[in-house]
Amino acid sequence: MTGPAGGTGGGAGGGAGGAGGTGPIRLLIADDHPVVRDGLSGMFRGDPDFEVLGEAADGAEAVAMTQALQPDVVLMDLRMPRMDGVSAIAELARRGVPARVLVLTTYDTDSDVVPAIEAGATGYLLKDSPRDELLRAVRAAARGEAVLSPAVATRLLGQVRGPAQAPLSQREIEVLEIIARGATNRETAARLFISEATVKTHLLHSYAKLGVSDRAAAVAEAFRRGLLTSASP
């Protein structure tokens, strides 16, 4: 394995905060290309809101290092030797590792996107995403929020609707109603007596149906369409 990487400073007052709400967001970067790992590490080290704990060159290393280092977020490539990204995501979920996994890859085909989301990825971005979009996505993932790049949202849209736009299901509306009141995925799951993973799936389907890429935009669009009202329970 490539081993731990030097992190940033960024004291406990960091604006984004780690999973506990204080200090920098702790990152692990998993990609089989050294130049990609170096570029991502350099970018995140330049921001005091982030701390790079280490780098993994394949899925198996990513699983082992995530369990050992306990990062808040793992940036996971999909196509890697020994163990691919989807298998690594599924293994982390099986082991109950709490880190959020944000897929960062060059592939946006249905056969890549859907298995990664179903395996438990919190979000899915493409490597050509602008820097600011990537930073926002990592912050959102650290908060447990699902996030999709616009291109990926379009892909999922094709999965969940036919020629006419599919309506939100009653459960998807219920999830958005609770999210609109400021609840986290975990709080939403508890209120609806479903798993957090199921909440995330409902949100991702809602994003695709509404043509948006994050929860704030989904809530705003649902209000605009009259699916939610200020009087929603």
Side-chain angles (χ1 to χ4, degrees):
M1 64 181 62
T2 61
T8 63
T22 61
I25 295 171
R26 294 153 52 87
L27 286 175
L28 178 73
I29 296 169
D31 196 290
D32 60 328
H33 293 98
V35 67
V36 173
R37 295 197 304 270
D38 288 348
L40 289 170
S41 293
M43 182 181 74
F44 283 104
R45 288 196 198 103
D47 189 315
D49 282 348
F50 302 96
E51 178 184 3
V52 179
L53 299 181
E55 302 171 6
D58 58 55
E61 285 186 5
V63 170
M65 293 180 71
T66 300
Q67 194 150 33
L69 299 175
Q70 295 294 305
D72 300 313
V73 177
V74 180
L75 284 177
M76 183 82 73
D77 190 17
L78 287 185
R79 301 189 185 180
M80 297 182 288
R82 287 212 298 160
M83 178 185 286
D84 62 61
V86 170
S87 297
I89 294 166
E91 179 62 17
L92 289 170
R94 187 188 70 79
R95 297 187 186 191
V97 177
R100 312 292 184 176
V101 179
L102 182 59
V103 172
L104 184 64
T105 184
T106 57
Y107 306 102
D108 66 347
T109 64
D110 296 344
S111 60
D112 292 304
V113 174
V114 176
I117 297 300
E118 291 179 343
T122 297
Y124 198 112
L125 289 184
L126 301 180
K127 287 181 178 176
D128 62 359
S129 299
R131 176 183 181 276
D132 288 347
E133 181 180 328
L134 178 54
L135 296 181
R136 282 195 303 270
V138 172
R139 291 186 176 101
R143 295 191 297 267
E145 299 175 9
V147 61
L148 298 173
S149 72
V152 172
T154 299
R155 284 283 182 184
L156 281 182
L157 181 59
Q159 288 284 312
V160 298
R161 76 178 189 187
Q165 182 164 304
L168 295 189
S169 70
Q170 185 57 41
R171 180 62 94 184
E172 288 162 356
I173 291 173
E174 289 171 348
V175 167
L176 283 178
E177 285 175 344
I178 297 173
I179 293 295
R181 297 198 295 270
T184 64
N185 288 0
R186 181 171 300 175
E187 291 166 344
T188 302
R191 293 182 194 181
L192 294 177
F193 302 101
I194 58 179
S195 71
E196 191 173 349
T198 300
V199 169
K200 181 187 67 180
T201 298
H202 286 314
L203 282 173
L204 291 173
H205 285 169
S206 297
Y207 294 175
K209 291 177 180 180
L210 295 171
V212 300
S213 60
D214 60 53
R215 62 168 51 198
V219 168
E221 181 63 15
F223 274 114
R224 190 189 71 79
R225 297 188 187 191
L227 300 173
L228 303 179
T229 69
S230 58
S232 293

